[in-house]
Amino acid sequence: MKQSIRRAAVLGSGVMGSGIAAHLANVGIPTLMLDIAPKQLTKDEEQKGLTLDDRVVRNRIAAQSKQALLKQKPSPLTTRQSLDLIEIGNMDDDMERLAEVDWIIEVVVENLDVKKKVFANVDKYRKQGTIVTSNTSGISIEAMASDCSVDFRKRFLGTHFFNPPRYLKLLEVIPTKDTDPEVLAFMKAFGENVLGKGVVEAKDTPNFIANRIGTYGLLVTVREMLRGGYSVGEVDSVTGPMIGRPKSATFRTLDVVGLDTFIHVAKNVYDQVEGEEKEIFDIPNFVMEMKEKGWLGAKSGQGFFFKKKDKSGSTIYELNPETLEYENRKKLKTAATEMAKQEKGSRRKLKTLISNKGDRAGDLVWSILKPVFIYSAELTGEIADDIVAVDEAMRWGFGWEIGPFETWDAIGLRKSVERMQAEGERIPEWVLQLLADGNETFYKTDNGNVYYYDEGTYKQQKFNKKEINLKRFKDVNGIIKKNVGASFIDLGDGVAGLEFHSQSNAIGLDIIQMVNYALEEVSKNYEGLVIGNQGKNFCVGANLGMMLMEAQDDNFFELDMVIRQFQNMAMAIKYADKPVVTAPFNMTLGGGAEVSLPAASIQASAETYMGLVEFGVGLIPGGGGTKELYLKQLRNMPKGIHFDLTKVANDVFEKVAMAKVSTSAAEARDNGYLDQRDKISVNPDHLLYDAKENVLALAKSGYRAPIREKIPVVGDPGYAAMLLGVKSLQLSGYASEHDVKIAEKLAYVLSGGRIKEGTKIDEQVMLDLEREAFLSLIGEPKTQQRMQHMLVKGKPLRN
């Protein structure tokens, strides 16, 4: 029977259950979310005369959880419309509805007996062939289904999402001995291709892969902090980005996760292991005291850190584990940390830190990493089939830039093992054998293929064909042309690629030149072009620092030339005779949006934060962004039906003046940055592949460059209408005099100048208006102050 998942059910509507339901809805899967029926009425329900038999009461818990999704930060929903795909009910009245779904996910309390009762009930109502999974973070998958039917057990496995499900990439899939291999293969492919996850197959062991190693690493760090006399703040200052870990580092991570959750996960391992491992998973006394005091972290307002607000602002204090009192936050600054800061990339930073023996920071990092390396090596084969699964789990679940075996390679495997042995550590035999055989690393790369060490030999790592890794791709296929800001490459199948790689992928003349070169080459030799990259963000805009410097030097002729070239590039993208598809992801701001908007199609990653944000630095878009957003909105209007042009202009005016940025690609569609021509990729690893397929589909359908457009504008009446709202904001104290000046320029551009309402103007007229307004504003001292403040402080200035 060919498996498919059209509808799903989630049993349990707590933070995790509702988060999973939200993620399913985000990708378009209608989901039934059930929870228990309440045993008591609320005061509000009593006042309304309701009883425990009323449906609204019986569904209350699931209903409240559904509504809570709208208030959570960051939002579990990519758009409010996702909420419409979540239907609620309760586990007393609605279990028969499980026969309507293709996948049932259990997310109830972490108690084996409770779970077994739930699954016995599920087995009564599910239809044959329905997949059932548990989202447990550590209870035995095998034990949960032991009393269920044969068909149930064949289609049962663990699917461990990480919280929050929308944002954390890892999905651990845990089969049992009875799980049908076809079901396992289907769920792994479904998790990657439909849910957009990084899927790792784990063994049915305590806490599986990521939580087992991650919790061990956190507890080792606490132990080393106490043993070495470091402070909470000192530890966090070197266990974050400096070693390739998230900014939340160690203790801030524990505050975010919640001390109660962390203790529960650690205890789950403690109860099931022996010896030295058990000792590590024994929670330190001061942490248990914190739990007793209710200092659980972010959810309770204090934990390892405590933010205190006063008239001068906020101050963050750190907990002293000996006195349990809060003190001024400290940072660890040593010769090793200063040297590491000068290095590029976490691998080089790590190697620099660890090579400094006797340095407080270097010794701390070594004492934290060493046991994690050994522990990971000891558990490989027990918790996962290979080292790849371990590394991927830690990268995708805990946000490590490189996993434990990749990190071990980065610092030098042979030298580090020799150091460990000199310090009396026992190294797993298979690691010693790897070195004895003359090998130096766990991973090797050859001709674009990645190989990993496994059972005495190197095996080729398999990747989904939809995963285009630009670095590996370029290593094999080379680069056609390159400058400081961008590279032109051949993506195969007749599709070319243009990769940004400037600082923060900010657009300058080098990128403009390379785009123009790419468009010429594509016109002659290719089916189309993908503009994309695999940096931290797609593009944070134009080079703000360069523009400010030119403005302060009164080089307005130079600025005028740069803006003209940017506008010409955008128009060349729009009217190219071969399809150009942009592949934005994460921050796609200002110039990043202006590159994307004129493309034949945008293939956006689901997590794309797109917006024209120039207003925040005292400017308006100068590269055609205002014009293209306005045209996109006009294209979304129904054909042949009269609509209010002023309303469209006002809507665009508000988005640009408020510097509104989408919180997802779905919201970018709601905001008018994406239209019916544009598509969304759920899995970020598949973005370039999807963009390439988009180009080929456009080419195959006989793509033709669009006909140059005449733009209907609102003229004088629309200009007045737009300014009316701004003036009222100024009178209410919400807009400064300079805000009004910027808004006047924006309104003038959108209205097409002082002309008659309904006049149709050429695109070049609006581009000229944009450029003139941009140049006028960048010469203003207050705009330059805003630009300077953004460059130095990283946030807008109100002046």
Side-chain angles (χ1 to χ4, degrees), residues 388 450-455 457-462:
V388 175
V450 180
Y451 299 87
Y452 63 94
Y453 188 82
D454 187 56
E455 296 179 339
T457 187
Y458 284 90
K459 297 178 181 177
Q460 186 176 341
Q461 187 175 346
K462 303 296 182 186

Side-chain angles (χ1 to χ4, degrees), residues 514-523 529 569 572-573 576 580:
M514 192 58 69
V515 170
N516 290 332
Y517 170 83
L519 292 172
E520 286 181 22
E521 283 297 305
V522 167
S523 178
L529 175 69
M569 174 195 69
I573 289 170
V580 178

Side-chain angles (χ1 to χ4, degrees), residues 5-8 10 15-33 66 69-70 72 74-87 103 105 161-168 190-191 193-197 604-609 663-670 674 679-683:
I5 293 175
R6 295 175 298 274
R7 295 178 62 83
V10 174
V15 171
M16 200 67 202
S18 61
I20 291 170
H23 187 66
L24 296 179
N26 288 338
V27 300
I29 299 173
T31 301
L32 176 66
M33 184 170 71
K66 179 179 174 179
L69 291 170
L70 291 170
Q72 288 179 33
S75 176
L77 303 164
T78 55
T79 175
R80 288 179 70 97
Q81 282 73 23
S82 296
L83 210 62
D84 298 336
L85 289 178
I86 302 174
E87 195 177 350
W103 180 22
I105 312 160
F161 289 82
F162 273 61
N163 193 30
R166 171 184 163 185
Y167 299 97
L168 283 186
F190 180 82
N193 295 325
V194 180
L195 300 180
K197 294 296 177 187
S605 174
E607 297 301 327
T608 296
Y609 316 123
T663 59
S664 67
E667 190 173 273
R669 194 184 292 283
D670 294 342
L674 305 183
K679 299 176 181 178
I680 296 173
S681 295
V682 177
N683 192 320

Side-chain angles (χ1 to χ4, degrees), residues 33-320:
M33 184 170 71
L34 307 181
D35 211 310
I36 58 172
K39 299 291 188 284
Q40 278 185 308
L41 293 171
T42 64
K43 288 183 178 179
D44 185 53
E45 287 166 344
E46 287 176 353
Q47 288 172 357
K48 289 178 180 176
L50 297 170
T51 72
L52 289 172
D53 295 325
D54 285 305
R55 187 71 175 181
V56 68
V57 174
R58 297 179 71 74
N59 291 350
R60 184 219 308 149
I61 295 174
Q64 288 177 338
S65 295
K66 179 179 174 179
Q67 287 307 304
L69 291 170
L70 291 170
K71 298 173 185 174
Q72 288 179 33
K73 299 290 181 187
S75 176
L77 303 164
T78 55
T79 175
R80 288 179 70 97
Q81 282 73 23
S82 296
L83 210 62
D84 298 336
L85 289 178
I86 302 174
E87 195 177 350
I88 58 161
N90 68 79
M91 290 166 66
D92 287 332
D93 305 326
D94 299 304
M95 292 298 280
E96 71 278 358
R97 294 200 57 196
L98 296 183
E100 302 169 9
V101 307
D102 310 298
W103 180 22
I104 301 164
I105 312 160
E106 168 273 313
V107 203
V108 302
V109 64
E110 287 287 86
N111 179 291
L112 179 60
D113 291 336
V114 172
K115 289 180 185 289
K116 290 187 75 153
K117 286 176 185 174
V118 168
F119 286 129
N121 209 13
V122 168
D123 207 3
K124 291 179 191 173
Y125 293 103
R126 65 181 280 275
K127 63 176 183 281
Q128 289 270 313
T130 299
I131 293 172
V132 184
T133 69
S134 172
N135 184 65
T136 181
S137 59
I139 293 176
S140 168
I141 306 295
E142 195 90 43
M144 289 183 209
S146 58
D147 299 330
C148 294
S149 66
V150 172
D151 183 74
F152 183 103
R153 295 201 306 274
K154 282 174 67 176
R155 286 164 177 79
F156 180 70
L157 64 160
T159 49
H160 182 212
F161 289 82
F162 273 61
N163 193 30
R166 171 184 163 185
Y167 299 97
L168 283 186
K169 186 175 178 177
L170 181 61
L171 175 64
E172 291 177 321
V173 173
I174 311 101
T176 72
K177 68 178 190 302
D178 297 318
T179 305
D180 186 328
E182 287 187 13
V183 171
L184 173 62
F186 169 79
M187 284 306 295
K188 287 166 75 173
F190 180 82
E192 186 172 353
N193 295 325
V194 180
L195 300 180
K197 294 296 177 187
V199 180
V200 168
E201 184 178 338
K203 308 261 184 145
D204 191 7
T205 55
N207 286 11
F208 313 127
I209 303 172
N211 274 344
R212 181 77 169 270
I213 291 172
T215 306
Y216 178 88
L218 288 166
L219 284 166
V220 161
T221 305
V222 175
R223 180 189 70 183
E224 293 303 322
M225 175 188 73
L226 297 173
R227 190 159 72 182
Y230 298 91
S231 83
V232 164
E234 286 179 327
V235 171
D236 268 18
S237 68
V238 294
T239 57
M242 193 174 288
I243 63 169
R245 303 284 173 83
K247 285 183 180 177
S248 54
T250 301
F251 294 103
R252 178 72 186 123
T253 294
L254 289 173
D255 276 353
V256 171
V257 168
L259 212 55
D260 50 347
T261 302
F262 173 69
I263 290 169
H264 168 79
V265 171
K267 189 175 184 303
N268 191 51
V269 179
Y270 178 84
D271 290 341
Q272 299 181 66
V273 296
E274 300 295 335
E276 291 178 25
E277 186 177 8
K278 196 178 189 78
E279 287 178 28
I280 288 289
F281 282 92
D282 190 9
I283 303 293
N285 291 333
F286 87 93
V287 176
M288 295 306 294
E289 285 184 54
M290 287 174 66
K291 185 188 175 187
E292 287 167 18
K293 290 176 178 289
W295 298 352
L296 304 178
K299 67 177 79 173
S300 65
Q302 66 186 102
F304 290 102
F305 293 100
F306 175 59
K307 183 188 282 189
K308 188 175 181 181
K309 293 183 179 180
D310 54 35
K311 291 179 181 178
S312 60
S314 297
T315 306
I316 298 175
Y317 297 93
E318 63 175 52
L319 186 74
N320 182 322

Side-chain angles (χ1 to χ4, degrees), residues 562-631:
V562 172
I563 298 162
R564 283 178 190 272
Q565 290 195 23
F566 194 119
Q567 291 182 343
N568 291 340
M569 174 195 69
M571 291 290 274
I573 289 170
K574 181 172 184 175
Y575 292 110
D577 59 349
K578 302 288 181 68
V580 178
V581 173
T582 55
F585 62 95
N586 294 354
M587 293 297 183
T588 303
L589 306 176
E594 289 183 302
V595 167
S596 297
L597 287 167
S601 177
I602 299 173
Q603 184 76 45
S605 174
E607 297 301 327
T608 296
Y609 316 123
M610 186 179 282
L612 296 167
V613 296
E614 289 84 351
F615 206 99
V617 290
L619 297 167
I620 71 162
T626 304
K627 167 185 69 86
E628 286 299 331
L629 183 58
Y630 181 56
L631 284 170

Side-chain angles (χ1 to χ4, degrees), residues 283-558:
I283 303 293
N285 291 333
F286 87 93
V287 176
M288 295 306 294
E289 285 184 54
M290 287 174 66
K291 185 188 175 187
E292 287 167 18
K293 290 176 178 289
W295 298 352
L296 304 178
K299 67 177 79 173
S300 65
Q302 66 186 102
F304 290 102
F305 293 100
F306 175 59
K307 183 188 282 189
K308 188 175 181 181
K309 293 183 179 180
D310 54 35
K311 291 179 181 178
S312 60
S314 297
T315 306
I316 298 175
Y317 297 93
E318 63 175 52
L319 186 74
N320 182 322
E322 293 183 6
T323 64
L324 288 188
E325 292 179 356
Y326 288 97
E327 302 174 349
N328 290 327
R329 188 164 52 161
K330 304 177 191 70
K331 287 186 178 181
L332 198 53
K333 186 176 180 179
T334 68
T337 63
E338 295 309 295
M339 288 168 67
K341 285 176 186 176
Q342 303 306 313
E343 297 288 349
K344 286 189 176 180
S346 54
R347 285 174 166 83
R348 294 173 68 92
K349 289 180 189 295
L350 260 171
K351 197 167 185 177
T352 300
L353 274 172
I354 285 172
S355 62
N356 277 268
K357 290 184 188 178
D359 181 279
R360 273 194 95 223
D363 289 350
L364 173 63
V365 172
W366 172 251
S367 68
I368 289 168
L369 291 182
K370 178 177 66 171
V372 172
F373 292 154
I374 295 170
Y375 189 63
S376 299
E378 287 172 342
L379 289 181
T380 300
E382 178 186 332
I383 62 174
D385 285 331
D386 51 53
I387 64 171
V388 175
V390 174
D391 279 342
E392 288 178 337
M394 298 318 298
R395 281 194 274 112
W396 296 339
F398 274 70
W400 293 11
E401 192 177 318
I402 46 177
F405 295 102
E406 293 166 318
T407 305
W408 209 343
D409 274 353
I411 66 167
L413 178 58
R414 188 175 294 278
K415 279 189 175 181
S416 61
V417 166
E418 288 170 357
R419 181 175 172 183
M420 290 175 191
Q421 289 175 315
E423 293 170 358
E425 303 293 349
R426 294 194 309 272
I427 311 300
E429 190 57 41
W430 71 269
V431 177
L432 295 176
Q433 187 61 52
L434 178 153
L435 293 169
D437 290 342
N439 300 302
E440 298 293 330
T441 56
F442 293 107
Y443 291 93
K444 291 181 178 180
T445 303
D446 181 43
N447 197 33
N449 296 316
V450 180
Y451 299 87
Y452 63 94
Y453 188 82
D454 187 56
E455 296 179 339
T457 187
Y458 284 90
K459 297 178 181 177
Q460 186 176 341
Q461 187 175 346
K462 303 296 182 186
F463 296 96
N464 190 316
K465 70 170 186 176
K466 295 180 180 179
E467 185 179 337
I468 296 175
N469 181 294
L470 282 179
K471 184 181 182 305
R472 291 198 302 269
F473 190 90
K474 289 185 293 185
D475 286 345
V476 177
N477 300 293
I479 296 168
I480 298 170
K481 190 175 176 70
K482 177 181 180 180
N483 64 21
V484 175
S487 293
F488 180 62
I489 55 183
D490 187 333
L491 291 176
D493 301 316
V495 179
L498 192 286
E499 177 196 13
F500 297 167
H501 46 65
S502 62
Q503 183 73 31
S504 300
N505 287 339
I507 297 174
L509 284 172
D510 44 10
I511 286 180
I512 293 172
Q513 289 164 2
M514 192 58 69
V515 170
N516 290 332
Y517 170 83
L519 292 172
E520 286 181 22
E521 283 297 305
V522 167
S523 178
K524 292 183 282 190
N525 301 313
Y526 293 88
E527 296 289 335
L529 175 69
V530 171
I531 298 178
N533 65 78
Q534 291 175 332
K536 184 179 178 182
N537 297 297
F538 174 72
C539 176
V540 297
N543 191 326
L544 194 64
M546 180 273 289
M547 290 193 298
L548 176 60
M549 188 169 61
E550 296 290 355
Q552 289 174 334
D553 289 343
D554 290 331
N555 287 336
F556 290 98
F557 177 81
E558 186 81 16

